[in-house]
């Protein structure tokens, strides 16, 4: 295992998950709901930024590693799954939408591992549709975590719209990756 700045940021993202979730279990007298929303939004935003930043640093500092390549997507998926499950509990996201998003992540991760084992990981490399899905999904989760109105802006409404768009893009991107892998899947 290689301990460098990019991998440390990734581990820090994973370690922030219990703090992120624990915020909502604090009594209202300790931390009002609005403050919980703000703090959770900040932690999730920080995790999203470090997700991009650790990959950038790994390439810029020539500190890429097999451990980092494995752990980075795991950290991302854990944080997103934790946020979606938390949002279900807070009644801000429907279970079906969360299941679509989390299920796709598991399925595509498994598909990528299988294709990598066949030496064909490149055929299911991250595509533009996957990046768009991720951007919309992250924006939706941030808005749904914040949830409270921001002046005249109904944050919760826009978060709900974006999470449905993210779920649709999740299905589209899954179809894209399955189509790319289909010839190999057919061959066995």
């Amino acid at each position: 295992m290689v301990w460098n700045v990019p991998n440390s940021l990734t581990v820090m993202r994973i370690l922030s998950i219990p703090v992120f979730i624990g915020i909502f279990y604090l009594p209202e007298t300790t931390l009002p709901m609005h403050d919980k929303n703000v703090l959770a939004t900040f932690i999730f935003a920080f995790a999203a930024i470090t997700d991009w930043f650790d990959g950038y640093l790994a390439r810029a500092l020539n500190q890429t590693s097999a451990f980092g390549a494995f752990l980075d997507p795991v950290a991302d998926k854990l944080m997103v799954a934790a946020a979606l499950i938390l949002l279900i509990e807070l009644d801000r996201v429907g279970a079906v939408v969360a299941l679509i998003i989390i299920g796709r992540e598991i399925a595509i991760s498994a598909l990528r591992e299988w294709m990598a084992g066949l030496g064909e990981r490149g055929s299911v490399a991250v595509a533009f549709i996957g990046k768009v899905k991720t951007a919309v999904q992250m924006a939706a989760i941030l808005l749904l975590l914040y949830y409270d109105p921001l002046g005249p802006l109904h944050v919760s409404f826009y978060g709900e719209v974006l999470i449905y768009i993210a779920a649709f893009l999740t299905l589209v991107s899954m179809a894209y990756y399955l189509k790319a892998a289909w010839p190999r899947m057919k061959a066995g």
Side-chain angles (χ1 to χ4, degrees), residues 73-74 77 102-118 120-121 124 174 177-178 181 185:
V74 169
K77 286 162 186 43
I102 294 169
R104 179 262 188 207
E105 294 302 330
I106 293 168
I108 297 307
S109 292
L111 179 66
R112 285 190 175 125
E113 282 303 310
W114 180 65
M115 294 296 282
L118 299 173
E120 297 184 35
R121 181 177 270 267
V124 287
M174 187 165 92
Y177 292 122
L178 289 172
M185 292 166 66

Side-chain angles (χ1 to χ4, degrees), residues 85-96:
I85 292 167
L86 181 65
L87 290 169
I88 290 170
E89 188 169 321
L90 294 170
D91 200 27
R92 298 179 189 178
V93 167
V96 172

Side-chain angles (χ1 to χ4, degrees), residues 10 13-15 17-18 20-21 44 71-85 102 105:
T10 301
R13 277 201 330 269
I14 293 171
L15 294 176
I17 294 171
F20 169 73
I21 293 170
F44 191 85
L71 196 60
D72 182 64
V74 169
D76 177 43
K77 286 162 186 43
L78 284 173
M79 183 57 106
V80 167
L84 289 170
I85 292 167
I102 294 169
E105 294 302 330

Side-chain angles (χ1 to χ4, degrees), residues 19 41 67 70-71 73-74 79 88 92 106 112 114 117-118 141-142 149 151 153 159 168 170 175 182-183 186:
V19 175
T41 302
F67 175 70
F70 157 75
L71 196 60
V74 169
M79 183 57 106
I88 290 170
R92 298 179 189 178
I106 293 168
R112 285 190 175 125
W114 180 65
L118 299 173
I141 291 172
L142 284 167
L153 184 67
F168 174 75
T170 294
W182 183 249
K186 241 177 31 179

Side-chain angles (χ1 to χ4, degrees), residues 58-73:
R59 290 182 296 277
L61 301 174
N62 197 26
Q63 294 182 347
T64 57
S65 66
F67 175 70
F70 157 75
L71 196 60
D72 182 64

